[in-house]
Amino acid sequence: MSLLAKKLFSFGGAIKNVNKNSIRLSSHFIFHPDNEKPIEGETKKMNMMQAINDAMDITLKNDPTAVLFGEDVGFGGVFRCALGLQEKYGKDRVFNTPLCEQGIAGFGIGLATAGATAIAEIQFADYIFPAFDQLVNEAAKARYRSGGQFDCGALTVRAPCGAVGHGGLYHSQSPEAFFAHAAGLKVIVPRGPITAKGLLLSCIQERDPCIFLEPKILYRSANEEVPIDSYTLPIGKAQVLREGNQVTLIAWGTQVHVLLEVAQIAKDQFGVSCEVIDLMSIQPWDEETVCNSVKKTGRCLIAHEAPLTCGFGAELAATIQEECFLHLEAPISRVTGWDAPFPHVFEPFYLPDRWRCLEAIKNLVQY
């Protein structure tokens, strides 16, 4: 055997041994299903994609003016959230659009202004920026600039967002802070199937235009027993998922599950009691629930996937500092994505994972 052949054989054996004895961690979080149901009655096991589909099915069934549209929506969309709806309700109510995000948003604004219920899908939140002018300068301002004579409140814009494990810089972004700055828009991020269905139905019924951001990694990794009947969850109201008295942990979307795991690790390893809050609604956000928690614990950690600078965590930190200053035992901590384009192979180092969050909790307690 030649020297080159020996080296290749040895290298191949090493790779085989590594693959045999290692476990691939395909996700940076463990999904924590909700145990409490929003309403009584029959439930069905659904993942988040199916729960969103169910909410739109209920809307199309009960509201004859409702229409659903977007790129590839006719056959279900790239994530299959609209699967089977065109066959059920026809091509005039569930249909494809050209690859033109500003056109999708503008069309939805026109429909909603004319009195229809418009559900627009942007294929990825990363591609919502061409529609930014339509959403921020038209949809958000319609009621104000007309003196209340007309509005486009029946518009809901859905968009898959966040890290997915392999999305890279164009399929992983979290743009919630951009839209939270625009008065007139409401911005919502669910954490799982139950909240996705209830919040989406609330957005569709809301009389202000809504941006509904769906953490795409949860579409199939999140499974819960979801009520089959129609129900809504309040926009602008956070949920306390775990009670504690030493540190308040705040997140939304996928990051909620990271913090739930971190809270348990902190309890087991350090004996630290953490309170976990899912903000759910970015704009408007639940200042009362957040500030009451921080006044109780005296410490606060905010975590989100979006970059640090001007991320929505900065707005939370500013308000908490103003309202809870005399109760704080340590500076407010933020654990976020970095101020850099979202990477591909280095995604695990970009995300605010459990270990970065745990270190932040340790620093807060030891301050």
Side-chain angles (χ1 to χ4, degrees):
M1 183 182 292
S2 67
L3 180 61
L4 177 60
K6 289 180 179 179
K7 288 183 176 180
L8 289 173
F9 180 79
S10 176
F11 179 73
I15 292 297
K16 184 177 180 180
N17 186 62
V18 168
N19 290 335
K20 181 180 179 181
N21 294 286
S22 64
I23 299 174
R24 178 177 179 270
L25 297 177
S26 60
S27 181
H28 66 285
F29 71 98
I30 297 172
F31 178 71
H32 294 74
D34 287 357
N35 294 320
E36 295 185 8
K37 303 299 181 287
I39 59 172
E40 297 294 329
E42 185 181 353
T43 64
K44 180 181 178 182
K45 188 173 183 180
M46 300 182 195
N47 59 31
M48 199 171 84
M49 178 272 288
Q50 293 168 322
I52 290 168
N53 180 282
D54 191 41
M56 294 190 294
D57 190 3
I58 290 171
T59 301
L60 289 162
K61 178 182 178 181
N62 296 332
D63 182 354
T65 74
V67 290
L68 170 62
F69 52 93
E71 297 164 10
D72 300 319
V73 163
F75 74 86
V78 293
F79 291 105
R80 319 305 280 167
C81 289
L83 187 65
L85 296 181
Q86 187 180 79
E87 290 82 354
K88 193 170 183 180
Y89 297 102
K91 294 183 179 181
D92 59 338
R93 298 187 65 198
V94 181
F95 49 87
N96 295 333
T97 66
L99 277 73
C100 179
E101 286 78 14
Q102 59 266 54
I104 295 170
F107 180 67
I109 292 168
L111 280 173
T113 303
T117 298
I119 307 170
E121 178 180 302
I122 303 295
Q123 199 166 85
F124 287 89
D126 310 62
Y127 298 131
I128 203 170
F129 300 113
F132 197 76
D133 175 61
Q134 288 292 318
L135 295 171
V136 171
N137 277 331
E138 303 297 338
K141 296 175 173 62
R143 181 183 288 111
Y144 181 85
R145 71 171 183 160
S146 70
Q149 294 181 68
F150 61 88
D151 62 72
C152 61
L155 171 66
T156 300
V157 179
R158 298 177 37 249
C161 70
V164 70
H166 52 265
L169 68 168
Y170 290 133
H171 296 84
S172 306
Q173 297 176 76
S174 298
E176 64 271 10
F178 288 100
F179 294 103
H181 195 67
L185 295 177
K186 295 192 174 179
V187 185
I188 312 298
V189 188
R191 68 173 178 272
I194 291 175
T195 57
K197 179 177 176 179
L199 288 170
L200 181 54
L201 285 169
S202 292
C203 286
I204 292 168
Q205 297 170 24
E206 172 63 38
R207 293 302 87 188
D208 285 310
C210 295
I211 309 294
F212 190 78
L213 298 173
E214 303 163 3
K216 68 180 81 71
I217 199 170
L218 299 178
Y219 278 142
R220 288 169 177 78
S221 63
N223 293 273
E224 291 174 328
E225 288 291 329
V226 180
I228 62 172
D229 291 334
S230 178
Y231 63 92
T232 59
L233 295 175
I235 293 173
K237 184 64 179 174
Q239 288 185 358
V240 178
L241 302 182
R242 177 180 176 129
E243 294 188 352
N245 56 29
Q246 289 180 281
V247 185
T248 297
L249 311 181
I250 306 170
W252 48 91
T254 308
Q255 194 65 25
V256 170
H257 303 288
V258 176
L259 292 189
L260 284 169
E261 182 181 3
V262 168
Q264 187 60 50
I265 296 173
K267 183 69 174 178
D268 295 341
Q269 292 191 6
F270 310 136
V272 175
S273 173
C274 295
E275 184 150 293
V276 180
I277 296 176
D278 178 7
L279 205 60
M280 296 202 300
S281 179
I282 304 299
Q283 187 64 275
W285 66 278
D286 189 351
E287 181 179 326
E288 181 180 6
T289 296
V290 168
C291 289
N292 285 343
S293 176
V294 175
K295 288 176 182 178
K296 176 177 67 173
T297 64
R299 303 173 183 86
C300 181
L301 182 151
I302 305 160
H304 56 71
E305 292 182 14
L308 175 72
T309 301
C310 295
F312 195 69
E315 176 64 26
L316 298 177
T319 301
I320 292 167
Q321 186 274 144
E322 290 173 355
E323 299 297 327
C324 310
F325 182 76
L326 296 179
H327 299 267
L328 291 174
E329 301 289 343
I332 300 161
S333 179
R334 288 182 290 158
V335 183
T336 70
W338 304 107
D339 287 341
F342 202 105
H344 187 196
V345 68
F346 294 122
E347 179 179 299
F349 303 103
Y350 182 91
L351 292 171
D353 64 11
R354 58 179 72 89
W355 307 121
R356 287 175 60 195
C357 293
L358 189 65
E359 182 67 19
I361 291 173
K362 185 177 178 181
N363 292 337
L364 282 170
V365 174
Q366 293 179 346
Y367 181 80

